[in-house]
Amino acid sequence: MFKTLDTLLRGLAGREDRVAELQAVLTACQALGPENGGRGEMEKVRCITDWLKACGVSALSRMDAPDPRTSDGQRPNLVARIPGKSRRTLWLFGHTDVVPPGDLKAWTSNPWQVRREGDYLYGRGVEDNQQAITSMLLLAEEVLSRNITPELTLGLVFMADEETGSAYGLEHILNTAPQFFGADDLYVVPDAGSPTGDIIEIAEKSQLWLEVRTLGTQCHASTPQKGRNAFLAASDMALSCHNALRAAFADANPLFDPPFSTFVPSKHEANVPNINTVPGADVFYVDCRLLPHVDQEDVLRKMREVAAEVAERHAVQITVSVTQRQKATATAPTCPVVTALRAAIARVYGVEARAVGIGGATVAAFLRQKGLAAAVWSCLENTCHQPDERSSIISTIKDAQVFAHILMNTTHV
């Protein structure tokens, strides 16, 4: 086994140009979901399917979710399996959709064309989540090209819709094909991490997104006394709920960074198109990331108490409603997948990884909700969603070597 693992690791170590090649093709597929003004992920999934078939993967399954907003009417989800000596499976998950590039002037080069500078590749999606996809493809290619039968079965999941909720992605897969996933399998989601690879995410805060809608009375800005300024009242509401919620839910948990619950006013919708009109309606949103013990209903109740106070001060109406919510999830720090990751990371990266919690949401939450112990790990630059998003070629290869260590280790069987 050790000689086979060494062969696999040496083969992966020489694949720098292949990383750049795969990333260039993936990036050119502008896999934007319809919420982000795109046509979906089908082109990228077809490329991935062709690569997997070319390197000999025959166990390929599609679990597409209908979505008439896309060019093909489907959101593609692909599951690939390479049989091992054991039916127990190491599952790796990569999402195929990306976010829009944003302000093109903030980019040094075309975000849809990979730019290579030394160890780094630049382009939209190269880190989020194409580094994971590339590591997964490298591992599959190397295993099959060397006719290796791994100790564990290798399962690769390529999901749609991660950036906008996963209803058409992993959530759809888990609901329509739960038979793929066993309680004793190992689940790794390479979608968060640190530049040194020293953190393993095992817990996520709960997520509560709230819409705050204020209704006042529109009037001319030269006679503001004739109206009720909804924007002014909403501004008071934003600051008041920010302060009140932080005070009411101030507990800390050192597992998380930041260690407390957060309440962030974020999106603000346009109200009036001209400067000299007092807006009669205003809508903004609050993104709440709550420590696991904080009850979402308590937060909602406090928000509505504050809304009533602010509404009375300004003689307006304020309603608070939920637009999205997700429960907190966690994996035990001593479970097999975390233990396996720690050992593999130590061998490849030479660091001792620690377990942490995050405020962000990953698809690991959907696995944990099904009782499947999932860990989130990768060695990332943490430039996702930014201009000049970048990914390290060396880290992409080393991530694949970490997965190879787990795949080839008999102690998990």
Side-chain angles (χ1 to χ4, degrees):
M1 185 274 291
F2 292 110
K3 182 181 291 187
T4 304
L5 175 59
D6 288 341
T7 300
L8 184 55
L9 296 178
R10 284 196 302 270
L12 288 168
R15 306 302 299 277
E16 289 86 354
D17 289 342
R18 183 59 166 155
V19 170
E21 176 190 355
L22 291 171
Q23 282 274 28
V25 176
L26 290 168
T27 302
C29 301
Q30 299 184 23
L32 296 167
E35 292 91 342
N36 287 319
R39 297 183 300 173
E41 307 89 349
M42 191 65 75
E43 181 185 2
K44 184 179 282 189
V45 171
R46 285 174 179 151
C47 287
I48 292 170
T49 302
D50 290 343
W51 289 331
L52 290 169
K53 287 181 177 179
C55 67
V57 179
S58 57
L60 296 168
S61 303
R62 283 278 291 274
M63 281 149 283
D64 295 357
D67 189 347
R69 301 171 299 169
T70 65
S71 56
D72 298 88
Q74 302 286 333
R75 305 296 290 276
N77 297 294
L78 174 66
V79 175
R81 298 176 76 249
I82 298 175
K85 296 176 184 178
S86 169
R87 294 183 62 183
R88 193 178 189 188
T89 302
L90 167 63
W91 289 101
L92 304 174
F93 298 80
H95 67 81
T96 54
D97 61 324
V98 300
V99 297
D103 183 5
L104 296 179
K105 294 179 181 178
W107 288 78
T108 303
S109 55
N110 186 337
W112 303 115
Q113 294 179 1
V114 165
R115 172 168 55 92
R116 183 175 182 178
E117 290 188 7
D119 179 51
Y120 292 115
L121 302 173
Y122 294 83
R124 176 51 85 224
V126 293
E127 180 176 68
D128 185 22
N129 191 220
Q130 290 166 200
Q131 179 171 320
I133 292 172
T134 303
S135 294
M136 292 157 65
L137 292 172
L138 283 181
L139 180 57
E141 287 179 347
E142 202 64 28
V143 166
L144 290 169
S145 68
R146 297 183 181 277
N147 295 315
I148 293 172
T149 301
E151 298 297 326
L152 301 178
T153 293
L154 177 61
L156 307 175
V157 181
F158 304 92
M159 314 159 294
D161 190 35
E162 189 274 346
E163 297 291 358
T164 50
S166 293
Y168 299 92
L170 184 56
E171 190 172 8
H172 174 77
I173 297 171
L174 291 171
N175 288 336
T176 57
Q179 70 276 8
F180 275 105
F181 308 108
D184 292 333
D185 291 346
L186 304 178
Y187 299 88
V188 179
V189 178
D191 198 21
S194 72
T196 60
D198 66 339
I199 63 171
I200 302 171
E201 184 260 279
I202 63 166
E204 297 177 12
K205 296 176 181 177
S206 72
Q207 180 176 294
L208 180 65
W209 290 359
L210 302 174
E211 178 195 82
V212 181
R213 184 175 295 270
T214 303
L215 183 62
T217 305
Q218 182 175 308
C219 68
H220 197 285
S222 66
T223 55
Q225 74 280 5
K226 294 182 178 179
R228 295 288 183 270
N229 193 326
F231 181 30
L232 181 62
S235 300
D236 187 358
M237 176 63 184
L239 185 59
S240 296
C241 72
H242 177 72
N243 293 334
L245 292 172
R246 288 184 65 182
F249 306 98
D251 294 350
N253 183 335
L255 180 66
F256 294 90
D257 182 21
F260 43 79
S261 299
T262 58
F263 310 92
V264 179
S266 54
K267 180 181 176 181
H268 184 269
E269 295 186 1
N271 42 40
V272 291
N274 53 305
I275 296 173
N276 59 339
T277 294
V278 169
D282 191 273
V283 180
F284 74 92
Y285 299 83
V286 181
D287 182 324
C288 307
R289 308 294 171 120
L290 311 176
L291 292 177
H293 74 277
V294 176
D295 191 319
Q296 293 185 358
E297 291 303 317
D298 289 343
V299 173
L300 191 56
R301 191 177 301 110
K302 186 64 178 179
M303 277 282 287
R304 287 172 174 157
E305 288 177 7
V306 175
E309 295 170 1
V310 174
E312 184 177 0
R313 280 201 295 271
H314 295 268
V316 298
Q317 297 177 26
I318 300 178
T319 57
V320 178
S321 57
V322 177
T323 64
Q324 182 172 307
R325 66 168 80 204
Q326 183 171 295
K327 294 180 180 179
T329 61
T331 294
T334 56
C335 74
V337 68
V338 178
T339 302
L341 265 173
R342 278 189 169 130
I345 293 165
R347 293 194 178 198
V348 175
Y349 281 98
V351 297
E352 185 176 346
R354 57 192 174 88
V356 303
I358 65 170
T362 72
V363 295
F366 297 105
L367 295 166
R368 293 170 186 151
Q369 287 166 10
K370 296 292 186 180
L372 306 174
V376 182
W377 174 86
S378 189
C379 185
L380 298 175
E381 296 295 309
N382 287 319
T383 60
C384 64
H385 295 212
Q386 299 178 19
D388 284 345
E389 177 182 350
R390 70 178 184 268
S391 174
S392 163
I393 296 173
I394 291 175
S395 294
T396 303
I397 291 171
K398 285 189 171 183
D399 284 5
Q401 291 175 326
V402 167
F403 305 144
H405 267 285
I406 300 172
L407 186 67
M408 299 301 296
N409 195 334
T410 57
T411 61
H412 310 310
V413 181

